[in-house]
Amino acid sequence: MNTAFETYETAWCPGCGNFGILNALKDALTELGLKPHQVVIASGIGQAAKMPHYINVNGFNGLHGRALPPATAINIVNKDLKVIIDSGDGDTYGEGGNHFIHAIRRNANIAHFVHDNQIYGLTKGQASPTTAKGQKTSLQFDGVILDPVKPIKLALTMGAGFVARSFSGNYEHLKKMMKEAIMYDGYALLDIFQPCVTFNKVNTFKWYNDRVYELPDDYDYTDLDNAFKVADEWGDRIPIGIIYKVEKPTYIDNISFLKDGPPLVDAKLDPMMAEKYLDDFR
Amino acid sequence: MDYNVLIGGAAGQGIDTLSYIIEKTLKRCGLYVFSMKDYMSRVRGGHNFIQVRFGDKPIHSHDEKFDAIIALDEDTVNLHSKSLKPSGKLILDKSISDNDTYLSFDFKAVAKECGNPRVLGTAAVGVLLKLFGIPLDVSHTVLDDEFKGDVLNANIKAIDAGYSMAKQIFNVPLGKKDDNIYISGNEAIALGAIAAGVKFYSGYPMTPSTSVMTYIAKKSHDAGIVVEQVEDEISAINMALGASYAGVRAMTGSSGGGFALMVEGISLAGITEIPIVITEVQRPGPATGFPTRTEQGDLRFIIHSGHGEFPKMVISLRSPEDAFYQTARAFNIADKYQIPVILVSDQYLADSGVTVKPFDFTKVTIERHISGHEALENGVYKRYKLTQSGISPRIIPGKVEGATVLIDSDEHDEFGHITESEDVRVKMVNKRMKKFKLLKEEVQEPLFMGAENPDILITCWGSTYGPVKEAVDMLLKDGMSVGALSFGDIWPFPTKLIKKYGKFAKMIIDVEQNATAQLDSLMRENALIKADEHILKYDGRMMSSRYIYERVREMTRSSSLY
């Protein structure tokens, strides 16, 4: 088994929702015609964040909650690389919440896949920022008393140009959404329902299967007002698909020497080029 | 010949601009200039002042006695007139005080005539320049660079008017030719980084580190550098690490509190072996401390920054000249060993302007230590390949077809994959620590100044270099056997010279801008040498050469040495 994006031995639980994401991601990259050295996966900490270890691409497996800042910089420095983030709901919406808000403002070219299982798996079952209010956990014994973060609405509010949702139990849909997000020019949020089979006994494959429905083909994802309404749908029916998508200038588009020039990484270095700046001090 | 003036007033009265006109004019007259800022953490009001010392020889520190003072408010008169030398002059608007012993003028009327009430201070600068016989036309060139249109005309009228109101008192021998530059410590760091090829700078504004980022940002378009103002210092260092991983020279910087937030990222740089240069421009702490003042209180914290054990280098900066060359050197060391290199400065060095010889850009080398295809073995790349030196070949993601680069904050194997093996753990710790051994051979010994084999040895680090250097000169003039070691590289700690001179010295006096003598503790720990006496200052204000000189004289008088 020596495919380009070969899989390594994983440390995930049998039946974990992450496997669906791994398979869809490998196939999405293959179908997009990308080669391993052209792709970077950045991640933080958590089970989802182990993705760069299970697929043969460049990987930046950094600190908890900190995947977005290095991913942003990687895109700025080398626009030829496809930058993807694979990380969890705690990593993205909890520890990394501040970076999430500001990454949307920067609009670097990143496909951000959030493995959203509504629980902390690696630390054995505490509430995550997306755990439902009232849900009992290994730490919130009387049930979560906080309102959950609403990732889709938050991203829309911040002005993200690509906001989508998918489900790890729906391979075809997930692969399609991944390809859309990777090809999108700018920051693309893909929130992925990913059941934690060990610690979240509420949001199971069945729970999601009973609820998720694909947005119809005639759904107008350029209508922001409508996108907010769709983002609010939660309960018996939960929509998946591209909820909002528009074109907007990326970080690189806003800096002319990055947009029109070669990637920053290819810049020629010569100390003598800076000598003229001494004139500022004469 | 050595003169010293002070410009004082409230924030918002334009002291920065006035002192800049004075500093640049003096500098363009071929004089050596040293200026020091004392300002409050507020936008308007309060009491701020700038001291400008100048003469015909290089100047390395400030002084506390003044030949002239421009007082833009009453506070300046009350706080500083006692520091005037007997021959000193106090220049002010007569509305502040009409005392006969002062040079009081109706600057308000002059400003009104010039058509701009804000040029009141420029008229006072005209008076000051006349006192020292500084040519008026040189000041015009400075104004011409600073202002445009009506504002320029009003300023020229004001400076001319002030000039015509006073008489020359002091004799300043003007330099023949002005080849020098006039630059602050932070600007020198920025220039050193640009020369070294920094392509990415991420930071969050924090006094007194901000102007490093400001200068790089000013040149960013011309030099093709991305400067990103980030949401917090956590983002700053993680972004810079991402940029470095992706293949460019990257830098971040902050002051104490911001640096504290970066510490997790320094640890990340340690285990991932990503090169990075970080500047820590110290201010007094703990926490928010004294935001606009100076201190050397973070040395121990910086040396130990980051959880776990890993090699890093810490270089303290002595002067703008040192800052320029050491910043450029820091990038080479970071790249060579794939480690974090931390440059330590402080508010005194950051904000002080100094006349120095133009930096020699031909001395800046760029050594990237980046590999290509040759780093692959049987077509496979190991990011953390175990080698004799501990340094693994580094390739840039995307640049070598068929090779991928995986870095990991978890303990990892040679490929970068997570491991829980005790065997691999030990090998990887050893690999990283091997680099620390090599780094020890890389450190520069402290700079020695003064008499060979001195009885009295002064030890200091970083920005106290200037005041100590001048204090040593004063003590030598008194016939004392005195020398000083000024530490620049401070981690790994260089031990050769301190061991050598420590043996001869009958008395070691450790000079630091902190309360706990952190350098002395490092000397004890690493070289088994300890100071006998300490000159420690931690009131947020920099000690002057005069201050050090007087303390040393007191200490030696009370001992049997002199």
Side-chain angles (χ1 to χ4, degrees):
Chain A
M1 189 193 80
N2 209 1
T3 59
F5 301 102
E6 76 187 275
T7 305
Y8 299 83
E9 193 189 338
T10 67
W12 293 328
C13 308
C16 175
N18 281 331
F19 288 108
I21 299 176
L22 174 62
N23 293 335
L25 179 57
K26 277 196 303 173
D27 293 347
L29 293 173
T30 307
E31 286 175 22
L32 287 171
L34 291 163
K35 291 181 181 159
H37 73 279
Q38 298 169 325
V39 180
V40 182
I41 297 183
S43 68
I45 297 300
Q47 293 296 11
K50 288 177 179 164
M51 189 64 91
H53 297 282
Y54 303 151
I55 183 165
N56 179 34
V57 295
N58 296 294
F60 190 108
N61 185 183
L63 296 169
H64 193 29
R66 316 292 171 221
L68 275 162
T72 301
I74 292 164
N75 170 241
I76 292 170
V77 165
N78 191 350
K79 59 186 179 181
D80 291 346
L81 293 170
K82 283 279 175 213
V83 185
I84 296 165
I85 295 177
D86 262 284
S87 237
D89 44 333
D91 200 68
T92 302
Y93 307 130
E95 192 94 26
N98 198 22
H99 307 312
F100 176 54
I101 290 170
H102 294 278
I104 295 172
R105 295 177 59 216
R106 286 190 187 100
N107 200 32
N109 201 355
I110 301 167
H112 190 175
F113 302 156
V114 183
H115 302 211
D116 190 351
N117 58 16
Q118 300 172 260
I119 204 77
Y120 279 3
L122 191 56
T123 52
K124 300 189 189 293
Q126 301 82 6
S128 93
T130 53
T131 306
K133 200 171 183 176
Q135 190 167 321
K136 290 184 180 172
T137 77
S138 67
L139 186 72
Q140 287 74 21
F141 301 106
D142 302 322
V144 175
I145 59 172
L146 309 184
D147 287 324
V149 167
K150 296 176 177 172
I152 303 293
K153 264 181 105 172
L154 182 54
L156 290 174
T157 304
M158 286 311 304
F162 183 104
V163 183
R165 182 191 279 143
S166 192
F167 170 40
S168 111
N170 187 338
Y171 166 84
E172 284 300 336
H173 186 266
L174 178 57
K175 189 177 72 180
K176 191 175 149 205
M177 288 299 110
M178 283 177 163
K179 285 161 76 175
E180 289 271 0
I182 292 168
M183 294 318 289
Y184 176 75
D185 223 7
Y187 173 81
L189 175 69
L190 176 58
D191 191 67
I192 306 166
F193 292 141
Q194 173 254 320
C196 174
V197 295
T198 306
F199 291 109
N200 192 337
K201 302 297 185 196
V202 178
N203 309 107
T204 60
F205 274 101
K206 183 177 183 327
W207 191 93
Y208 290 117
N209 266 322
D210 287 349
R211 286 166 176 79
V212 298
Y213 75 95
E214 289 184 35
L215 286 167
D217 287 345
D218 63 350
Y219 170 75
D220 178 9
Y221 51 61
T222 64
D223 181 342
L224 183 60
D225 287 343
N226 196 33
F228 271 108
K229 277 183 207 143
V230 170
D232 248 351
E233 275 186 58
W234 189 269
D236 291 342
R237 279 171 62 77
I238 304 174
I240 58 172
I242 297 175
I243 293 168
Y244 185 64
K245 182 182 166 187
V246 288
E247 279 182 31
K248 52 186 286 192
T250 65
Y251 187 96
I252 284 176
D253 289 337
N254 287 317
I255 298 178
S256 58
F257 67 83
L258 287 180
K259 184 173 185 249
D260 305 325
L264 206 52
V265 66
D266 294 334
K268 198 173 156 288
L269 306 186
D270 176 7
M272 298 313 291
M273 289 195 298
E275 198 187 23
K276 61 183 179 200
Y277 302 142
L278 277 179
D279 286 346
D280 291 348
F281 307 100
R282 291 190 199 271
Chain B
M1 193 280 296
D2 188 344
Y3 290 109
N4 195 24
V5 301
L6 181 146
I7 306 100
Q13 283 192 302
I15 296 168
D16 258 331
T17 310
L18 297 181
S19 68
Y20 182 76
I21 296 166
I22 296 167
E23 291 152 24
K24 263 277 162 95
T25 303
L26 293 168
K27 184 253 157 199
R28 287 187 186 175
C29 287
L31 294 161
Y32 287 90
V33 183
F34 184 103
S35 80
M36 184 193 81
K37 286 184 187 174
D38 190 301
Y39 57 106
M40 300 180 78
S41 184
R42 56 190 290 176
V43 177
R44 288 195 78 121
H47 176 65
N48 292 354
F49 62 91
I50 298 177
Q51 300 178 199
V52 185
R53 214 181 130 194
F54 56 98
D56 54 358
K57 289 183 192 69
I59 300 173
H60 304 280
S61 72
H62 65 290
D63 194 12
E64 290 141 2
K65 298 284 178 193
F66 301 100
D67 298 286
I69 292 173
I70 294 177
L72 295 178
D73 65 359
E74 209 180 327
D75 278 353
T76 306
V77 181
N78 297 336
L79 289 164
H80 301 290
S81 56
K82 60 181 180 299
S83 304
L84 274 174
K85 293 177 188 171
S87 60
K89 301 292 172 198
L90 198 138
I91 304 159
L92 39 59
D93 187 84
K94 67 179 192 180
S95 67
I96 300 171
S97 172
D98 224 352
N99 187 324
D100 283 350
T101 59
Y102 300 154
L103 294 178
S104 61
F105 300 93
D106 194 350
F107 291 130
K108 279 187 183 166
V110 172
K112 208 174 169 189
E113 269 174 44
C114 296
N116 186 339
R118 288 193 59 83
V119 299
L120 181 154
T122 313
V125 170
V127 170
L128 183 100
L129 295 178
K130 183 60 180 285
L131 294 186
F132 292 93
I134 304 299
L136 198 52
D137 56 338
V138 180
S139 73
H140 286 182
T141 68
V142 178
L143 292 174
D144 205 43
D145 287 349
E146 277 302 289
F147 301 109
K148 283 187 184 74
D150 289 348
V151 182
L152 171 63
N153 291 335
N155 273 286
I156 286 182
K157 272 189 202 166
I159 211 160
D160 290 356
Y163 207 84
S164 67
M165 290 160 91
K167 275 193 227 129
Q168 185 178 342
I169 297 176
F170 304 102
N171 276 312
V172 180
L174 302 181
K176 283 190 201 81
K177 199 169 161 233
D178 169 36
D179 287 331
N180 291 325
I181 57 163
Y182 180 70
I183 193 165
S184 73
N186 273 1
E187 288 165 333
I189 292 170
L191 202 54
I194 297 171
V198 72
K199 287 286 153 217
F200 189 91
Y201 189 103
S202 42
Y204 187 92
M206 184 169 182
T207 306
S209 69
T210 312
S211 50
V212 175
M213 177 161 63
T214 309
Y215 188 77
I216 297 177
K218 212 184 274 178
K219 298 294 160 197
S220 61
H221 212 85
D222 187 60
I225 302 168
V226 172
V227 176
E228 180 62 6
Q229 183 184 325
V230 287
E231 56 273 24
D232 55 30
E233 290 84 351
I234 299 170
S235 183
I237 187 155
N238 281 281
M239 226 183 241
L241 287 171
S244 178
Y245 163 81
V248 298
R249 289 195 150 175
M251 187 179 190
T252 183
S254 190
S255 299
F259 181 78
L261 285 181
M262 291 183 185
V263 166
E264 184 199 33
I266 291 170
S267 196
L268 176 66
I271 196 164
T272 56
E273 304 187 45
I274 297 175
I276 178 98
V277 176
I278 305 150
T279 312
E280 214 271 53
V281 187
Q282 300 166 100
R283 66 192 218 182
T288 310
F290 247 0
T292 62
R293 310 289 179 195
T294 201
E295 196 166 278
Q296 296 183 308
D298 297 346
L299 179 59
R300 276 280 183 184
F301 172 54
I302 292 166
I303 285 170
H304 299 296
S305 57
H307 51 291
E309 299 169 298
F310 59 92
K312 70 167 86 71
M313 184 156 187
V314 180
I315 303 171
S316 71
L317 306 177
R318 300 182 179 99
S319 64
E321 201 164 17
D322 192 46
F324 174 78
Y325 294 109
Q326 292 295 356
T327 303
R329 174 176 168 247
F331 280 97
N332 285 343
I333 293 173
D335 272 345
K336 184 174 178 185
Y337 296 99
Q338 304 168 17
I339 55 164
V341 178
I342 304 167
L343 299 165
V344 190
S345 180
D346 55 35
Q347 185 269 333
Y348 181 70
L349 175 54
D351 287 342
S352 290
V354 192
T355 308
V356 290
K357 277 192 305 197
F359 303 143
D360 185 353
F361 282 66
T362 64
K363 282 189 183 161
V364 175
T365 58
I366 296 176
E367 297 149 29
R368 299 265 7 234
H369 305 276
I370 287 170
S371 304
H373 246 285
E374 72 281 3
L376 275 56
E377 278 173 52
N378 305 320
V380 178
Y381 175 64
K382 294 177 175 173
R383 174 66 194 92
Y384 300 107
K385 183 180 156 64
L386 296 167
T387 61
Q388 202 69 36
S389 62
I391 303 168
S392 314
R394 177 178 171 223
I395 68 170
I396 301 304
K399 290 294 172 192
V400 181
E401 175 116 27
T404 54
V405 185
L406 176 62
I407 65 96
D408 188 14
S409 66
D410 279 84
E411 192 57 272
H412 41 250
D413 61 16
E414 287 184 281
F415 296 96
H417 285 297
I418 294 174
T419 183
E420 308 223 8
S421 150
E422 60 253 56
D423 177 50
V424 176
R425 164 69 180 175
V426 170
K427 281 183 177 143
M428 282 296 158
V429 172
N430 290 346
K431 164 190 155 52
R432 293 189 289 266
M433 295 318 285
K434 271 184 195 171
K435 299 195 287 184
F436 192 64
K437 263 188 200 153
L438 290 178
L439 208 51
K440 280 184 183 171
E441 290 160 26
E442 190 93 41
V443 292
Q444 294 174 352
E445 288 291 322
L447 202 66
F448 181 77
M449 314 174 269
E452 205 46 41
N453 305 338
D455 288 341
I456 299 159
L457 179 69
I458 295 174
T459 53
C460 64
W461 64 280
S463 70
T464 50
Y465 160 77
V468 166
K469 181 183 166 63
E470 291 188 343
V472 167
D473 287 343
M474 291 157 84
L475 293 162
L476 288 171
K477 265 190 201 145
D478 286 1
M480 293 175 70
S481 168
V482 61
L485 283 175
S486 157
F487 284 78
D489 285 7
I490 204 152
W491 194 257
F493 192 77
T495 55
K496 286 192 191 96
L497 285 194
I498 184 62
K499 280 182 180 165
K500 178 186 164 193
Y501 286 98
K503 270 181 211 152
F504 292 115
K506 296 192 174 93
M507 182 193 266
I508 299 176
I509 304 174
D510 177 51
V511 175
E512 299 185 59
Q513 285 280 141
N514 60 47
T516 54
Q518 298 183 28
L519 170 65
D520 185 23
S521 76
L522 288 171
M523 295 192 309
R524 287 202 306 273
E525 185 182 314
N526 294 282
L528 300 175
I529 299 271
K530 77 183 213 10
D532 304 291
E533 299 284 350
H534 298 92
I535 300 173
L536 303 175
K537 198 165 185 288
Y538 40 89
D539 57 2
R541 277 73 177 177
M542 190 69 177
M543 59 177 101
S544 65
S545 48
R546 191 187 296 267
Y547 180 91
I548 299 166
Y549 167 80
E550 282 166 4
R551 296 289 100 69
V552 173
R553 292 300 319 233
E554 276 167 31
M555 284 169 182
T556 50
R557 252 197 302 276
S558 58
S559 80
S560 56
L561 274 176
Y562 285 89

